[in-house]
Amino acid sequence: MSITFPVLRRLTVEGYELFQNSTSRGIDHKFTAGVHVIAGINGLGKTTLLNVIYRLMLGPLDMSKEDNGLSSTQHKLSDWRNKKYFRARVRDEARGARATAELNFGHRKLAVTRSLRSLEVERLELDGKQEPVSTQERYEELVCELSGASSYFDYFAILRFLVFFLEDRAELIWDRRSQFDMFRLLFYDRDAARAAAEEYDTAQRVDSLYRNERVPIRRARLELDAYDAAENSGLAVELRAARAALMAAQAQDEDHADAIIQARQTLDGRRLRREKARLDLEEVRVAYEEEQQLFYQHVFPDLAGTAAHVFLSLATGGGCLVCGNASAAAGERLKAYADRHQCPICESHREQQENVVSPAEFSEKRLAKIADQVELLRASLHELDHEVARENAALIELVVARESTVADVERYQRLLNDLQRQATSEILDIVLADDEEQIAFKRHYVEIGERRLDSLLADRTAAETRYLAIKADQEKLLADRLRQAKDRFARIARHLLAEECTLREITDTRRIGQEGQLIDFPILEVMMSSGVFTGSPSAREDAASVSESQREFIDLAFRMALIETAAAADSDAMMVLETPEASLDSLFVTEAGALFRGFAGKGGADGNVFIASTNLNNEGMIPALFGATTPPDREQTRESDADALTVDREVARETAAPVLAPEDRKAHLINLLSLSAPNAALRQHREFYEKKLWDAVFDDVDEAARAELIATPVRSEADAEEPETPEGSAGSAEASETP
Amino acid sequence: MPEAPSELNALVTSLDAALIDALRADLAEVPGMPTSNEGLEAEFFAHVYQYARSWLKERDGPVEGEKPALFVLSRAIQQDVERLTTKPRPYFAVLPDAGCGGQVLIATPDFSQVVQLEDTTIESVEAAAVALEDVGFQGCAHVVFRPDRGELILVAGGISGAPRRVPITLAPPIRLTQLELEKQIWEFHTDFTQTPSSYLHCWRGKASDRVPIEELERQISGMLAFWLVTIVGREHVSMEHYTTHGRVDVAVFSAAMAPGLGPSAIELKVLRSRQWRSTAKGWDAVTDDKMLEHAKDGVQQAVDYRAKLKGNIAYLCCFDARLIDEDQIEVVQLAANKKVELRRYYMYDSQPAYRAARAKADEAGELLSGEVLLTG
Amino acid sequence: MTERRTLLSARMWLLTLLDGAERTGIAPLSVRRLHRLVYLANAMAPVYDLLTPDGYLLKFKRGPFFPAVQWDIDRLSVQGLATVSGASRKKDDLGWWFEADYSLSAMGMKAVDHAMQLEAIGEKAAFLREVARAFSAILRQEASSEATADDALLADVTFKHADAGGPIDFKVASENLSALAATTIGNTVGEGSSVGRRAEVHLYFRYLEQAWDRQQGAAVA
């Protein structure tokens, strides 16, 4: 299939403060075939204007990760993050600012008007008829339909990677992945292109999903395997059994310990009570004894009685048995002693004698009462004794029982330690964190997960298979196109580069995602002979292996080659170039100018358009673009160059890139010095800058003619009135040249 | 048990099987009766009974014309020996063929020392009292053995005490069924405690005052123990005073009980409504509640005693000296719950009172409390 | 001598013991036997849950000897409650010694009977008579001399383990090894259950006899 490239034919910008000043209400520029230059000094909005064109054609969308090129992620667009881009540049936040682009897709015309504030589509006109619905969605439908892109993403990619060569451009030639995707969207049949993108996305998405999901599942699987291995080795069973036994033993031991503490407390309490009871009993018993003592006073003889007993005979008047004295005086003497409570032998007085007589009287009732108390206390003490004995026995039993549980705990701990030494830490972790529910859950999770992984894998494989089928189907077509593209690149590059530079078709073998089937993707690789040494060219795989200017040329050439190859029969083409601010190599400038003019000089009905922005510092750029200066003749550097006959016509044509007639140049110039709101530099040095501009525009025109040309108004109306004029760029250039 | 010191452990270690066996044999020689006055009396009576029975068996029964023998329980035999003209009769108890007719024998309670008054002989039962007075033993417990009739006359309280004739059974000791045991206790009651004319002096002062003597429980247990000794033999009856869980207990060991019954524990309680006091009235009232508690304690003591004996049978015998002859319902229930055989023996304060109760019961076709039909 | 609060109780204890000796026919008691009997009675008192008399602290040199007991028995004799016979002084390797035989006098008997009116004393009497009876059961009637007839008590656990020259005070029941031993022996013979306190006392005396025999047998061998 082929692509009908959009070509900007007219741009109007209204109500945007950046492009308003005392003489200008905005921008209204028609892009006729050929080169158009946006010129201005820094700060006048060159880049902004380029972006106005870019956003008009694309809307507020972006690739999700543009830096990674095409098809690194999904074929999807996301919202442009920098939506306030235009708003932020003006004081009124772009209220009421709108821009309209009139685009040609071959013979079809599409006009789109967007608010610069929101970038929303405000109006759509297809072939001069307003669309009933003016939305981004509708716009997307229309551009896909008109361009032949299989999706808006593809359309977006074409603009981003082929048409617009902006400062932040992505370079397709060096990015294999993007390159092939570009081939797909340019060269595959439309349906195949869409399907391929979808399948590719599917494969990639599923792959990513697969890999993401696989991480935890695989981890769980590894754990389970380790667990099962431990389980099968029997070690786990032993470990678990030992652990369970240990835990049971510990629990029991704790129970025992608790019980012992409890029993000990109970016993101590009981002992205390027993001691108290014992003391109480002792006390009462002493009282009991003392009460009896009172009773005994009547049992035992008192001093007189004792004396009477000792001196029995004497007392009864029988005389002294010791000496045989029988006088009555002896008996009287004894009686007198007794009356005085004095001992008849040692003559002691009462206070010196055995003190056994208490003033208290014996009471049998009291004795009985105390006896009852003794009895009661004795009974309770007895009971306490029993309790203490019983509790002591219980305690001993507990202590003995505990000995066995302590031994159990030690034994199981030892066993567990031995077993743990045999096992790896992972198995230990799993087994010791043993949780049947968790294991079962994990097993279930892994089962389901693996089933899902299988299904994802199958999905991926299916997507890959479908993708491969599409790819295979398109292979021949693609190969043809690539051959064409290669040829065109060779022609264009020869024009641009001193070194011989060609593309060769190679195979980029890679996977769609990070895993999956290895697929051979045909891509084009730059082959270049060294600038210093002649000989067979060598492959250049990345941008770093060529010089900066070579790199840009190669990229431009590749884009041009692709555009040419992909363009539909009735398609014109457009390229937009943001010229770097840095000063350029003068030879490069003229060579590039010739190339661009060459590109702009081609095309179908309305001719190609090449839009380039430039400041006034790159003095050679504007003349080069308009053809006021031409590159010098190239010297033959290679053997192959000698065979001039083999050089095809187009090369000759490009070499002879048309020069834009001086009188037409103003119509191809968007002069921001006069259109933009002036900045300080412009206000101060307007004359200088304007002179510099016109010097550049009319570099090849003498002073007198130049003044006239500058004064002549742009023939914009005439252009507008005769849009049907068949104006082949080359023809028109020649036509404007001839008068 | 308290924690054993090491010396005690050494002692326990020294208790080898041989020593324990020897001690176990010694256990049989531990006197069945305590050394309380009543216990010593019971033991003395029991020894006399044993001796007399052996004597009769040796001769195949009573010997016509044989003179009675007087056995006196000595308080201080050495002093008696010194005071009187005696000759020692060593090993008297183990020599049943030794002659005793007409002799006055003074003995320790266990017959370990027996001496014979040398100058005194008695020709008749009546002469025994004279002989006692002659040698100053009129207040002592004594027994007159009548070999000619094969009976003993027991006198616990000296010559003024009530004598009780006890026939000597020559049949071998029997093994009692529960009913037979109960019958024996009932017989004991009728002979010893039922009326004032029974053998034991149960009442202080006039019987109609219904003030029982203080030591009645001990008196009853001593005599009951002796009574049972005469039935089943000295070695099969034990009597305890002042145990930690009760005051009076009598046990009949399992060898004297019918096979399979095991030992019987007999707890004795005297129920009273009045208690002697040295006041003008001579007594204090005892509340029914206090007696209820007393009897309930008896139930528990019977249970404890049964447990201590490792037996199955426990009796609580309440000798009822209260004013009214009626059961204590709470005690009856408690005893039933604890599986204690409760028997109440009412003590009448006169023969007429007994006869009236007897007649009333006969008329109603009922038995007196605790009664076991003697024909059974 | 420190003041003894229950002096008369102690003397009644002695009198009752003498009464027990009379009733079991082992009176009169020599000084030495009296002290041994007191010693054993004191040792066994906890079995009957009784307190030992105040002040009967054992000092020993010639077998167990209680200074307080000696004082009390002499006082009792002077008061006519006990009788002394055969008093004599002797000197041997251990120094001056005296010998005498004691027994309960008729007056003492009356005093005991009077005291027995109290049930509390009856309980003590039951115990002390039991001790005398148990003691009498192990006396060697056939012993060559009275001196060795009651040596068995030297096998007593408390006596054996006492510090030589140190006092033995049986006041603290829970530290009375002899009583604990009696209970232990009783339980052992009774196969775990109590044989009764009376039997405990008797068995302990029998145990002393057996242990003494063994000891002597070992010494001879």
Side-chain angles (χ1 to χ4, degrees):
Chain A
M1 71 160 283
S2 49
I3 299 292
T4 305
F5 290 96
V7 180
L8 180 67
R9 290 301 176 194
R10 184 175 178 176
L11 172 71
T12 55
V13 181
E14 304 166 75
Y16 192 56
E17 282 184 353
L18 195 61
F19 301 120
Q20 282 181 336
N21 56 35
S22 52
T23 56
S24 155
R25 297 318 307 155
I27 293 173
D28 183 2
H29 187 84
K30 292 193 175 116
F31 294 87
T32 52
V35 173
H36 290 258
V37 175
I38 299 170
I41 60 171
N42 289 349
L44 292 186
K46 289 191 305 292
T47 303
T48 306
L49 190 57
L50 287 176
N51 271 317
V52 168
I53 297 166
Y54 186 65
R55 288 295 155 192
L56 266 174
M57 293 179 77
L58 288 173
L61 294 167
D62 245 330
M63 282 169 56
S64 51
K65 288 181 186 170
E66 275 177 290
D67 285 347
N68 289 339
L70 269 172
S71 78
S72 60
T73 56
Q74 300 286 291
H75 291 92
K76 268 181 191 157
L77 296 173
S78 54
D79 278 352
W80 184 33
R81 289 210 194 107
N82 204 0
K83 265 185 183 169
K84 290 182 179 173
Y85 180 85
F86 297 110
R87 236 201 277 184
R89 281 167 166 67
V90 288
R91 288 167 304 174
D92 68 350
E93 296 199 316
R95 268 186 203 91
R98 63 173 54 80
T100 303
E102 291 179 20
L103 302 169
N104 278 16
F105 293 83
H107 297 299
R108 309 293 299 273
K109 295 181 195 301
L110 177 66
V112 56
T113 303
R114 292 180 187 271
S115 154
L116 284 183
R117 183 178 163 84
S118 66
L119 287 179
E120 273 170 23
V121 173
E122 292 189 336
R123 184 182 168 90
L124 282 175
E125 233 175 69
L126 182 62
D127 294 331
K129 258 174 70 183
Q130 190 181 342
E131 283 288 306
V133 181
S134 301
T135 60
Q136 175 70 16
E137 288 70 39
R138 180 58 188 149
Y139 174 77
E140 289 177 10
E141 276 173 33
L142 288 172
V143 294
C144 287
E145 189 190 318
L146 296 174
S147 67
S150 68
S151 68
Y152 190 66
F153 177 90
D154 286 359
Y155 175 78
F156 181 96
I158 290 166
L159 292 180
R160 172 103 179 93
F161 289 91
L162 293 181
V163 173
F164 284 84
F165 191 92
L166 302 179
E167 188 106 328
D168 64 342
R169 68 190 169 271
E171 291 176 346
L172 216 48
I173 185 72
W174 307 114
D175 178 351
R176 295 178 165 202
R177 205 174 264 264
S178 300
Q179 201 187 99
F180 181 78
D181 203 46
M182 185 55 77
F183 295 162
R184 169 193 66 80
L185 68 91
L186 290 177
F187 303 136
Y188 276 18
D189 288 337
R190 186 172 169 154
D191 290 340
R194 188 189 304 114
E198 280 168 10
E199 298 302 349
Y200 191 96
D201 283 355
T202 301
Q204 200 172 40
R205 194 186 64 245
V206 171
D207 177 65
S208 165
L209 201 59
Y210 171 75
R211 282 180 292 107
N212 285 341
E213 292 196 6
R214 191 183 52 190
V215 171
I217 291 167
R218 181 177 282 178
R219 196 184 303 127
R221 162 55 68 195
L222 287 174
E223 284 174 6
L224 270 184
D225 287 350
Y227 176 81
D228 288 344
E231 201 75 357
N232 292 334
S233 75
L235 187 57
V237 176
E238 282 181 58
L239 270 171
R240 199 178 297 112
R243 211 166 85 97
L246 177 61
M247 275 157 60
Q250 278 169 340
Q252 205 182 357
D253 187 45
E254 272 169 36
D255 287 352
H256 277 143
D258 289 348
I260 285 171
I261 289 167
Q262 195 80 38
R264 210 161 254 160
Q265 282 171 351
T266 311
L267 182 61
D268 287 348
R270 189 83 64 202
R271 276 190 175 141
L272 218 60
R273 275 170 54 199
R274 185 179 65 172
E275 276 318 300
K276 192 182 171 303
R278 207 198 291 287
L279 289 175
D280 290 350
L281 179 61
E282 291 299 302
E283 207 171 287
V284 177
R285 279 165 73 159
V286 168
Y288 188 50
E289 290 292 324
E290 284 173 356
E291 193 62 41
Q292 290 176 43
Q293 178 85 4
L294 293 176
F295 177 74
Y296 296 139
Q297 288 175 22
H298 305 290
V299 177
F300 290 92
D302 58 8
L303 177 75
T306 304
H309 172 71
V310 172
F311 303 101
L312 185 65
S313 179
L314 205 59
T316 53
C320 178
L321 288 173
V322 177
C323 66
N325 168 21
S327 81
E332 287 307 311
R333 181 178 164 273
L334 184 63
K335 192 167 177 294
Y337 272 111
D339 290 346
R340 291 197 301 274
H341 293 286
Q342 206 176 355
C343 175
I345 294 174
C346 70
E347 298 189 350
S348 70
H349 293 282
R350 183 178 267 177
E351 62 276 11
Q352 296 166 288
Q353 296 161 6
E354 226 173 39
N355 180 21
V356 295
V357 178
S358 160
E361 269 301 304
F362 170 73
S363 155
E364 193 174 350
K365 207 166 189 176
R366 197 161 59 224
L367 182 69
K369 207 167 146 192
I370 299 174
D372 283 348
Q373 278 180 27
V374 169
E375 209 51 45
L376 213 66
L377 282 168
R378 189 175 285 164
S380 74
L381 183 64
H382 190 73
E383 195 157 311
L384 283 169
D385 274 341
H386 273 302
E387 280 171 24
V388 166
R390 199 173 54 240
E391 280 158 10
N392 196 51
L395 178 61
I396 287 167
E397 213 166 277
L398 284 171
V399 169
V400 169
R402 176 138 195 237
E403 272 169 22
S404 81
T405 56
V406 166
D408 281 353
V409 167
E410 279 173 9
R411 188 155 49 88
Y412 290 126
Q413 187 66 64
R414 240 186 341 265
L415 177 65
L416 191 60
N417 289 347
D418 288 348
L419 289 170
Q420 283 182 351
R421 273 193 284 278
Q422 295 171 31
T424 67
S425 64
E426 285 149 339
I427 290 176
L428 276 184
D429 285 349
I430 295 168
V431 172
L432 296 190
D434 188 22
D435 177 349
E436 272 184 39
E437 244 178 69
Q438 201 196 329
I439 292 294
F441 178 78
K442 193 169 271 183
R443 215 178 279 288
H444 184 65
Y445 167 76
V446 167
E447 222 167 82
I448 291 192
E450 285 180 343
R451 228 179 292 142
R452 169 149 172 81
L453 285 181
D454 286 347
S455 124
L456 283 175
L457 210 55
D459 287 353
R460 190 182 70 187
T461 307
E464 283 172 349
T465 307
R466 289 193 300 272
Y467 179 81
L468 283 173
I470 296 165
K471 182 167 167 290
D473 196 38
Q474 300 290 319
E475 208 152 58
K476 194 172 173 310
L477 178 66
L478 181 61
D480 287 347
R481 295 302 196 94
L482 289 187
R483 209 174 307 113
Q484 291 170 23
K486 229 162 57 177
D487 291 347
R488 290 190 164 107
F489 177 83
R491 189 198 70 223
I492 296 165
R494 189 173 302 153
H495 185 69
L496 276 170
L497 295 163
E499 296 86 354
E500 185 183 326
C501 185
T502 55
L503 293 176
R504 67 165 179 173
E505 199 176 320
I506 59 160
T507 302
D508 176 27
T509 304
R510 60 175 169 89
R511 298 177 171 88
I512 294 178
Q514 285 181 27
E515 291 171 17
Q517 216 172 321
L518 276 171
I519 298 173
D520 290 338
F521 294 95
I523 56 155
L524 297 173
E525 189 185 57
V526 176
M527 299 286 289
M528 200 162 80
S529 65
S530 158
V532 181
F533 305 102
T534 59
S536 52
S538 63
R540 303 296 163 103
E541 289 182 352
D542 59 60
S545 53
V546 295
S547 71
E548 178 70 16
S549 56
Q550 281 174 340
R551 188 180 135 184
E552 294 189 338
F553 275 128
I554 290 167
D555 190 25
L556 281 166
F558 188 61
R559 286 171 179 238
M560 287 175 182
L562 290 183
I563 289 172
E564 273 183 34
T565 310
D570 65 342
S571 174
D572 292 327
M574 174 174 83
M575 283 186 81
V576 180
L577 172 78
E578 181 174 26
T579 309
E581 297 291 327
S583 67
L584 297 167
D585 174 74
S586 61
L587 185 61
F588 167 81
V589 167
T590 50
E591 293 276 13
L595 178 69
F596 300 153
R597 270 184 288 118
F599 173 84
K602 287 188 248 177
D606 298 321
N608 291 352
V609 169
F610 189 92
I611 302 168
S613 74
T614 180
N615 63 16
L616 301 181
N617 294 337
N618 280 317
E619 287 165 21
M621 192 63 193
I622 294 173
L625 286 168
F626 286 145
T629 53
T630 52
D633 283 342
R634 196 176 299 177
E635 285 173 36
Q636 188 175 321
T637 56
R638 293 175 294 248
E639 288 292 315
S640 58
D641 288 352
D643 186 8
L645 294 176
T646 62
V647 175
D648 63 30
R649 273 189 324 109
E650 281 177 275
V651 174
R653 273 183 62 189
E654 258 159 38
T655 312
V659 174
L660 189 62
E663 58 273 20
D664 291 333
R665 287 183 187 165
K666 278 182 77 175
H668 285 248
L669 177 70
I670 299 174
N671 179 8
L672 294 181
L673 295 177
S674 63
L675 292 171
S676 296
N679 61 8
L682 181 58
R683 280 195 298 270
Q684 285 168 18
H685 309 290
R686 180 175 286 273
E687 245 178 273
F688 168 77
Y689 288 126
E690 284 186 347
K691 183 173 184 306
K692 200 169 181 180
L693 171 67
W694 298 126
D695 282 352
V697 172
F698 299 114
D699 187 45
D700 54 348
V701 181
D702 58 38
E703 291 287 325
R706 190 182 293 179
E708 193 188 331
L709 284 169
I710 293 166
T712 311
V714 177
R715 299 188 307 171
S716 53
E717 285 90 47
D719 279 354
E721 280 164 12
E722 33 185 299
E724 311 298 313
T725 306
E727 203 175 11
S729 57
S732 107
E734 276 160 350
S736 51
E737 220 173 347
T738 35
Chain B
M1 286 296 104
E3 302 75 6
S6 57
E7 293 91 343
L8 208 54
N9 288 333
L11 182 143
V12 171
T13 314
S14 77
L15 289 174
D16 53 35
L19 187 49
I20 291 170
D21 282 347
L23 289 173
R24 204 161 279 157
D26 288 338
L27 189 59
E29 291 178 33
V30 172
M33 309 298 158
T35 56
S36 63
N37 290 344
E38 303 75 24
L40 292 175
E41 275 168 21
E43 187 170 354
F44 171 68
F45 290 163
H47 274 94
V48 176
Y49 182 88
Q50 190 177 28
Y51 168 79
R53 188 168 171 277
S54 303
W55 192 93
L56 287 171
K57 275 188 88 177
E58 196 77 10
R59 291 159 182 80
D60 292 327
V63 178
E64 194 73 36
E66 188 73 38
K67 292 176 194 164
L70 174 63
F71 292 86
V72 185
L73 174 60
S74 172
R75 167 68 174 276
I77 197 160
Q78 284 299 328
Q79 294 182 27
D80 294 339
V81 167
E82 283 166 23
R83 188 165 55 87
L84 305 165
T85 313
T86 61
K87 74 171 183 200
R89 297 291 300 268
Y91 316 115
F92 182 82
V94 293
L95 296 171
D97 58 329
C100 64
Q103 293 176 1
V104 178
L105 296 147
I106 305 168
T108 52
D110 59 355
F111 267 37
S112 62
Q113 292 184 54
V114 180
V115 293
Q116 181 192 343
L117 274 183
E118 282 196 327
D119 302 333
T120 309
T121 54
I122 50 171
E123 297 296 323
S124 65
V125 174
E126 292 70 27
V130 179
L132 281 171
E133 273 200 300
D134 284 350
V135 292
F137 283 126
Q138 60 271 28
C140 292
H142 57 273
V143 183
V144 179
F145 171 38
R146 293 198 61 172
D148 55 335
R149 289 165 63 168
E151 68 176 24
L152 296 180
I153 301 162
L154 307 180
V155 191
I159 53 173
S160 58
R164 167 67 201 169
R165 279 170 211 278
V166 177
I168 298 167
T169 316
L170 289 184
I174 57 165
R175 301 189 73 172
L176 299 171
T177 62
Q178 247 182 289
L179 192 66
E180 282 163 349
L181 176 61
E182 290 168 26
K183 192 170 102 178
Q184 290 301 334
I185 300 171
W186 172 255
E187 264 184 63
F188 167 80
H189 173 54
T190 58
D191 278 11
F192 284 77
T193 52
Q194 197 169 46
T195 66
S197 55
S198 298
Y199 177 63
L200 278 179
H201 284 302
C202 301
W203 308 105
R204 188 167 185 123
K206 285 184 291 177
S208 57
D209 283 349
R210 296 198 71 81
V211 181
I213 59 169
E214 286 302 289
E215 56 275 29
L216 184 58
E217 276 180 13
R218 293 206 311 260
Q219 290 284 357
I220 292 173
S221 67
M223 288 318 296
L224 176 61
F226 166 71
W227 181 264
L228 293 171
V229 162
T230 66
I231 309 300
V232 299
R234 192 176 63 89
E235 64 274 25
H236 298 313
V237 178
S238 170
M239 168 191 168
E240 283 281 346
H241 279 163
Y242 311 109
T243 63
T244 46
H245 34 68
R247 300 249 164 171
V248 179
D249 305 301
V250 175
V252 180
F253 297 138
S254 59
M257 297 295 294
L261 289 181
S264 291
I266 303 168
E267 178 74 27
L268 300 183
K269 289 288 176 197
V270 170
L271 304 178
R272 57 186 74 194
S273 297
R274 290 171 180 175
Q275 189 166 17
W276 181 80
R277 273 285 165 260
S278 56
T279 58
K281 192 167 61 170
W283 50 266
D284 283 346
V286 178
T287 64
D288 289 350
D289 282 353
K290 192 164 178 189
M291 279 303 107
L292 206 57
E293 288 310 308
H294 189 55
K296 281 181 177 174
D297 285 351
V299 174
Q300 187 55 48
Q301 285 156 11
V303 169
D304 292 346
Y305 195 32
R306 175 175 58 193
K308 191 179 140 194
L309 287 175
K310 296 183 173 175
N312 298 317
I313 305 167
Y315 283 93
L316 172 60
C317 298
C318 292
F319 288 80
D320 193 351
R322 293 176 304 163
L323 299 176
I324 301 168
D325 177 8
E326 64 181 15
D327 285 335
Q328 295 164 294
I329 300 303
E330 278 187 56
V331 182
V332 172
Q333 286 168 349
L334 181 66
N337 286 343
K338 304 258 184 183
K339 297 192 166 58
V340 169
E341 305 290 343
L342 174 69
R343 296 291 179 274
R344 190 173 58 85
Y345 304 105
Y346 194 72
M347 296 158 66
Y348 302 94
D349 50 36
S350 67
Q351 279 288 344
Y354 162 69
R355 280 196 295 271
R358 173 88 267 167
K360 196 177 166 194
D362 286 348
E363 199 176 316
E366 288 172 351
L367 295 177
L368 292 171
S369 177
E371 183 176 6
V372 177
L373 281 181
L374 298 179
T375 53
Chain C
M1 190 175 293
T2 53
E3 197 189 336
R4 291 158 59 201
R5 290 169 71 193
T6 51
L7 181 67
L8 297 182
S9 276
R11 287 183 187 165
M12 185 50 73
W13 182 271
L14 278 184
L15 284 181
T16 312
L17 204 53
L18 287 176
D19 176 61
E22 293 294 347
R23 287 180 187 273
T24 47
I26 58 170
L29 297 169
S30 66
V31 172
R32 169 195 168 108
R33 187 170 284 177
L34 172 70
H35 283 270
R36 291 186 172 188
L37 199 50
V38 170
Y39 172 84
L40 290 170
N42 289 2
M44 291 293 103
V47 176
Y48 268 60
D49 203 11
L50 292 170
L51 292 179
T52 55
D54 192 17
Y56 280 5
L57 200 71
L58 181 74
K59 300 251 173 70
F60 66 118
K61 193 173 185 185
R62 188 185 292 269
F65 183 80
F66 300 83
V69 168
Q70 195 56 51
W71 170 258
D72 284 350
I73 192 71
D74 287 341
R75 283 280 294 153
L76 288 170
S77 304
V78 167
Q79 289 179 323
L81 299 168
T83 58
V84 194
S85 58
S88 65
R89 279 173 177 253
K90 280 191 176 174
K91 190 174 186 293
D92 63 11
D93 301 346
L94 292 166
W96 280 100
W97 193 241
F98 71 94
E99 281 188 355
D101 292 327
Y102 297 96
S103 54
L104 195 64
S105 70
M107 197 173 146
M109 284 182 198
K110 285 201 182 81
V112 170
D113 287 346
H114 183 49
M116 290 291 281
Q117 287 174 12
L118 284 187
E119 218 171 302
I121 291 144
E123 191 175 352
K124 281 182 189 167
F127 165 67
L128 293 166
R129 288 174 186 173
E130 207 67 61
V131 169
R133 184 149 64 153
F135 187 69
S136 74
I138 62 163
L139 283 180
R140 311 296 165 95
Q141 305 289 355
E142 67 281 9
S144 54
S145 74
E146 204 251 20
T148 56
D150 52 12
D151 276 348
L153 86 96
L154 300 178
D156 176 62
V157 61
T158 310
F159 194 77
K160 276 201 295 186
H161 291 96
D163 291 338
I168 295 175
D169 185 356
F170 280 124
K171 283 207 84 172
V172 189
S174 58
E175 290 169 10
N176 183 332
L177 285 180
S178 304
L180 294 175
T183 305
T184 305
I185 291 165
N187 283 340
T188 308
V189 171
E191 290 170 320
S193 70
S194 166
V195 292
R197 57 188 189 166
R198 208 147 46 76
E200 270 181 30
V201 171
H202 280 271
L203 281 179
Y204 186 64
F205 280 70
R206 303 287 175 131
Y207 160 78
L208 292 181
E209 186 182 32
Q210 302 268 3
W212 180 253
D213 283 350
R214 286 186 169 205
Q215 214 170 302
Q216 295 308 107
V220 168

